[in-house]
């Protein structure tokens, strides 16, 4: 059985990290599907799938930004040359 | 006290209140190529908000009425022609509790039948199939030719009144447009061509018949089909649901138009959201479009003297040149960059130009709290090469992550943001104090237009 206190496996790719274009808060992906949000002096750590607060004095952050930074990666994405061709300019 | 306006402050124009940002037609004036007339068309809906009773999204009685008034009467996209390329190929098209068999019965003929045996009513087929030579009921073995004519009855001597004329499989109307197959169960319905109106003219430059189905993902969602599709009919949600895009997307300055039984939105890319307090630089806009992370180098750098919009269009044009050759030069920047998304009543959403998306939303059985959302990617293929085979449907369950469909690329992660909201909308609709939801005069034009048509079809007016 997996040890619930074990350190999460490190990310196998560079972490996603974004500045929120409206609030200016920094959202950074952590191992174990978590997201650290830093806003001013405060920080919070959130579950990257459910957006639930896990630790830190900042208890609420933009759930959609948390999902974007912390959500599951898409296999095969991140090939820079392919994306730079401009074929993946998407919104829904 | 006056209500505070957040973000885009808006302005009064000759057409009514619009975004304070650059209007879409003004952006088109800056295009590096001639802009086709279809993008210059403007046909706004009349101003005014629309209120819709919340129970329309969860009431079983409303669902039952939709079956009778809409799904039994309206033209609806059943599949792509390429899904059934050979004689005998068929798909099962289910909508609510209705089921239809859509079959290629001859090289140039597609027919559709009610998917039920005329003996005891068993569904003839539950899954799509290839190369059928007949449809034999698995229960007692009654059998029909693929053109619907009765072929065999087991112990025919026991059914003296069953004859070929009266026991053909009941047929429903079929029409095609853009490589799509539509059906209509109503024998008295107007022809598909009449129903679609000017839609084919809008797509003259973007012939969807000459695209192949590169991907097809279907996911069950825990919300009403209208809740789901309305989340994909406007860019008003981008500011809250997709904030990572704001530096490179014109959300509240999208253009919205209505035309008969269809509507259209155009959301520009490579231009900043009017909600932003400070205008981002050209590189910031490009970085947002390519989802650049902090502390990483840019995927591409905007050359001096060029804007992000023009540069991104150039990249996209050159990418497309590998597929369509020098025809790539005949399309303007907007056709490479912008999201041009149509809605054909009741549930069909083809996108224009080179964005590959087509959506369909439909009820999941008779549960008004669930639906099926489908996304197809329709892509051109290199000239002179044979059409690639159509992708089969990749099904995702309600708890599956969109990222489990890697064929959707980055769009999978965008969908995760959207579908994070919509089951919670379905719950909220049942607990909200006001009995109705309200749609914006302009930014929610397409939803307002849908509900105008919906009320008419449902005879709620």
């Amino acid at each position: 059985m997996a040890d619930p206190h074990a350190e999460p496996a490190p990310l196998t790719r560079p972490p996603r990290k974004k500045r929120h274009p409206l609030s200016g808060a920094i959202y950074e992906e952590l191992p174990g599907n978590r997201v650290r949000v830093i806003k001013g002096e405060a920080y919070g750590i959130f579950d990257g799938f459910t957006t639930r607060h896990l630790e830190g004095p900042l208890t609420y952050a933009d759930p959609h930004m948390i999902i974007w930074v912390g959500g599951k990666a898409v296999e095969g994405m991140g090939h820079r040359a392919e994306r730079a061709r401009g074929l993946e300019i998407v919104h829904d | 006290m006056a209500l505070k306006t957040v973000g885009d402050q808006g302005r009064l124009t000759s057409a009514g209140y619009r975004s304070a940002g650059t209007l879409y037609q003004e952006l088109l004036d800056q295009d590096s190529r001639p802009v086709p007339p279809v993008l210059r068309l403007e046909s706004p809906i009349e101003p005014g908000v629309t209120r819709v009773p919340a129970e329309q999204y969860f009431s079983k009685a409303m669902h039952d009425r939709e079956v009778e008034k809409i799904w039994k009467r309206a033209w609806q996209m059943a599949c792509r022609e390429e899904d059934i390329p050979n004689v005998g190929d068929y798909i099962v098209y289910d909508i609510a509790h209705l089921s239809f068999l859509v079959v290629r019965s001859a090289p140039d003929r597609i027919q559709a039948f009610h998917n039920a045996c005329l003996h005891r009513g068993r569904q003839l087929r539950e899954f799509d199939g290839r190369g059928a030579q007949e449809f034999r009921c698995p229960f007692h073995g009654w059998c029909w030719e693929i053109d619907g004519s009765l072929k065999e009855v087991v112990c025919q001597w026991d059914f003296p009144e069953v004859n070929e004329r009266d026991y053909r499989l009941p047929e429903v109307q079929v029409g095609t447009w853009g490589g799509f197959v539509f059906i209509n169960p109503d024998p008295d319905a107007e022809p598909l061509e009449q129903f679609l109106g000017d839609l084919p003219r809008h797509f003259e430059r973007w012939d969807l018949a000459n695209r192949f189905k590169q991907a097809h993902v279907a996911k069950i969602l825990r919300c009403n089909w209208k809740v789901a599709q309305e989340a994909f009919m406007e860019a008003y949600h981008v500011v809250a649901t997709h904030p990572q895009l704001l530096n490179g997307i014109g959300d509240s300055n999208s253009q919205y138009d209505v035309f008969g039984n269809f509507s259209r939105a155009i959301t520009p890319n490579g231009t900043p959201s009017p909600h932003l307090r400070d205008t981002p630089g050209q590189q910031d806009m490009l970085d947002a479009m390519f989802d650049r992370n902090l502390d990483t180098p840019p995927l591409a750098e905007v050359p001096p003297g060029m804007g992000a919009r023009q540069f991104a269009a150039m990249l996209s044009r050159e990418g497309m040149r590998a597929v369509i050759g020098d025809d790539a030069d005949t399309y303007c920047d907007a056709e490479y960059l912008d999201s041009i998304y149509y809605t054909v009543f009741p549930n069909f959403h083809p996108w224009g130009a080179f964005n590959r998306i087509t959506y369909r939303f439909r009820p999941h059985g008779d549960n008004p709290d669930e639906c099926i959302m489908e996304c197809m990617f329709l892509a051109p293929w290199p000239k002179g090469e044979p059409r690639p085979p159509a992708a089969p449907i990749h099904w995702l369950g309600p708890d599956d992550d969109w990222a489990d469909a890697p064929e959707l690329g980055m769009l999978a992660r965008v969908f995760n943001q959207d579908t994070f909201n919509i089951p919670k909308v379905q719950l909220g609709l049942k607990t909200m104090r006001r009995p109705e939801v309200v749609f914006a005069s302009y930014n929610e034009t397409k939803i307002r237009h849908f509900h105008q048509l919906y009320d008419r079809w449902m005879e709620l007016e």
Side-chain angles (χ1 to χ4, degrees):
Chain A
M1 202 168 107
D3 176 2
H5 303 295
E7 282 292 311
L11 291 166
T12 55
R13 52 177 170 71
R16 301 185 192 120
K17 189 175 179 185
K18 297 276 181 192
R19 183 189 308 279
H20 196 295
L22 297 175
S23 72
I26 301 295
Y27 289 67
E28 183 176 14
E29 184 181 22
L30 300 176
N33 304 118
R34 296 169 305 152
V35 174
R36 177 168 51 217
V37 182
I38 300 173
K39 188 175 182 186
E41 299 295 311
Y43 85 98
I45 295 181
F46 299 85
D47 183 296
F49 290 124
T50 66
T51 76
R52 185 184 295 274
H53 174 255
L54 299 174
E55 64 175 84
L58 187 69
T59 59
Y60 184 82
D62 185 333
H64 293 99
M65 203 65 166
I66 293 170
I67 288 173
W68 187 254
V69 168
K72 192 171 181 176
V74 180
E75 191 185 320
M77 283 299 292
H79 298 299
R80 296 162 60 89
E82 176 70 17
R83 289 162 65 193
R85 279 169 54 203
L87 299 178
E88 291 295 344
I89 299 167
V90 292
H91 89 90
D92 58 0
Chain B
M1 198 173 86
L3 197 62
K4 188 179 170 191
T5 298
V6 176
D8 187 346
Q9 296 295 303
R11 59 173 148 155
L12 185 59
T13 71
S14 58
Y17 280 99
R18 294 289 186 271
S19 166
T22 308
L23 298 181
Y24 188 65
Q25 293 299 316
E26 296 166 352
L27 269 177
L28 291 181
D29 294 340
Q30 301 162 22
D31 203 294
S32 71
R33 310 284 165 112
V35 174
V38 68
L39 294 182
R40 288 297 191 181
L41 277 176
E42 293 183 87
S43 181
I45 199 169
E46 73 282 3
V49 298
T50 294
R51 291 182 169 82
V52 172
E55 69 162 5
Q56 286 191 8
Y57 296 96
F58 56 79
S59 149
K60 178 64 165 57
M62 290 301 290
H63 167 84
D64 292 342
R65 194 173 174 90
E66 286 174 359
V67 173
E68 296 304 315
K69 301 291 185 183
I70 296 177
W71 304 121
K72 288 186 178 178
R73 294 171 55 213
W75 283 104
Q76 48 208 283
M77 189 266 283
C79 64
R80 294 277 297 166
E81 289 184 65
E82 63 191 310
D83 286 325
I84 45 174
N86 300 309
V87 173
D89 294 350
Y90 59 93
I91 62 109
V92 176
Y93 171 66
D94 295 330
I95 183 85
H97 56 258
L98 308 175
S99 185
F100 303 92
L101 267 178
V102 183
V103 58
R104 188 175 290 275
S105 56
D108 295 317
R109 187 173 191 207
I110 294 172
Q111 291 177 267
F113 306 101
H114 292 269
N115 182 17
C117 176
L118 296 182
H119 172 219
R120 296 267 289 271
R122 190 204 190 280
Q123 271 192 313
L124 289 170
R125 290 291 179 271
E126 296 132 83
F127 308 108
D128 304 347
R130 298 271 183 205
Q133 296 184 341
E134 60 186 25
F135 293 123
R136 183 177 296 278
C137 177
F139 195 177
H140 299 90
W142 284 36
C143 185
W144 284 265
E145 302 282 4
I146 60 171
D147 67 359
S149 55
L150 184 62
K151 184 178 180 183
E152 290 172 7
V153 173
V154 176
C155 297
Q156 189 169 12
W157 49 265
D158 227 3
F159 296 91
E161 290 179 11
V162 168
N163 59 56
E164 225 171 275
R165 191 195 61 207
D166 294 339
Y167 279 78
R168 281 185 59 81
L169 279 181
E171 203 164 341
V172 299
Q173 290 201 69
V174 170
T176 60
W177 168 77
F180 295 99
V181 179
F182 294 79
I183 68 155
N184 192 324
D186 180 0
D188 299 322
E190 63 182 324
L192 176 67
E193 296 71 23
Q194 197 174 318
F195 179 78
L196 293 178
D198 280 345
L199 187 76
R201 195 165 60 81
H202 281 244
F203 280 80
E204 270 173 0
R205 289 171 60 81
W206 318 313
D207 180 10
L208 298 184
N210 280 313
R211 306 273 173 99
F212 80 102
K213 195 174 70 171
Q214 195 176 39
H216 187 172
V217 181
K219 181 171 164 61
I220 296 165
L221 300 176
R222 292 191 180 98
C223 67
N224 186 270
W225 67 279
K226 302 185 296 297
V227 168
Q229 81 167 7
E230 289 169 11
F232 294 86
M233 290 169 69
E234 37 83 5
Y236 182 55
H237 70 289
V238 170
V239 65
T241 301
H242 310 296
Q244 77 281 359
L245 297 174
L246 292 175
N247 278 345
I249 191 169
D251 50 350
S252 56
N253 53 337
S254 298
Q255 179 175 310
Y256 297 94
D257 303 291
V258 297
F259 311 91
N261 290 320
F262 67 94
S263 60
R264 174 182 78 173
I266 309 180
T267 295
N269 290 299
T271 187
S273 166
H275 291 302
L276 297 174
R277 276 188 295 269
D278 302 314
T279 304
Q282 297 296 327
Q283 186 63 45
D284 296 328
M285 292 183 213
L286 192 74
D287 290 345
M289 295 166 79
F290 288 146
D291 192 33
R292 179 189 181 188
N293 285 298
L294 295 174
D295 306 332
T296 60
L299 286 166
E301 292 190 45
V302 181
M306 195 181 256
R309 188 170 160 81
Q310 195 183 347
F311 180 58
M314 189 196 79
L315 291 175
S316 192
R317 182 178 290 114
E318 294 314 309
M320 197 55 72
R321 192 183 303 280
V323 181
I324 63 173
D326 288 340
D327 285 353
D329 289 321
T330 62
Y331 297 96
C332 69
D333 298 345
E335 289 171 293
Y336 286 110
L337 282 186
D338 298 337
S339 301
I340 306 169
Y341 40 119
Y342 287 79
T343 294
V344 182
F345 186 85
N347 66 335
F348 172 53
H349 305 255
W351 284 41
F354 289 110
N355 199 303
R356 297 173 291 173
I357 294 172
T358 290
Y359 295 132
R360 173 174 63 180
F361 300 86
R362 49 184 165 143
H364 185 217
D366 280 327
N367 182 354
D369 290 330
E370 286 191 357
C371 72
I372 301 166
M373 170 180 170
E374 288 166 87
C375 177
M376 298 179 183
F377 275 175
L378 302 180
W381 71 93
K383 269 184 176 174
E385 293 187 14
R387 173 192 282 270
I393 298 187
H394 177 178
W395 282 93
L396 298 176
D399 296 318
D400 292 333
D401 195 296
W402 282 101
D404 293 335
E407 61 268 40
L408 294 176
M410 195 161 78
L411 194 60
R413 294 178 55 221
V414 176
F415 286 168
N416 276 338
Q417 292 179 303
D418 291 299
T419 54
F420 184 69
N421 289 334
I422 52 184
K424 298 166 182 70
V425 172
Q426 190 69 18
L427 293 173
L429 285 165
K430 294 176 181 174
T431 193
M432 64 192 291
R433 183 65 182 86
R434 291 185 67 90
E436 64 206 10
V437 294
V438 59
F439 294 109
S441 176
Y442 187 70
N443 272 300
E444 293 177 319
T445 286
K446 289 181 66 181
I447 304 173
R448 292 184 56 220
H449 178 253
F450 167 82
H451 280 282
Q452 287 177 355
L453 295 173
Y454 181 85
D455 286 359
R456 199 177 309 153
W457 279 75
M458 292 282 280
E459 296 172 23
L460 299 173
E461 291 174 316

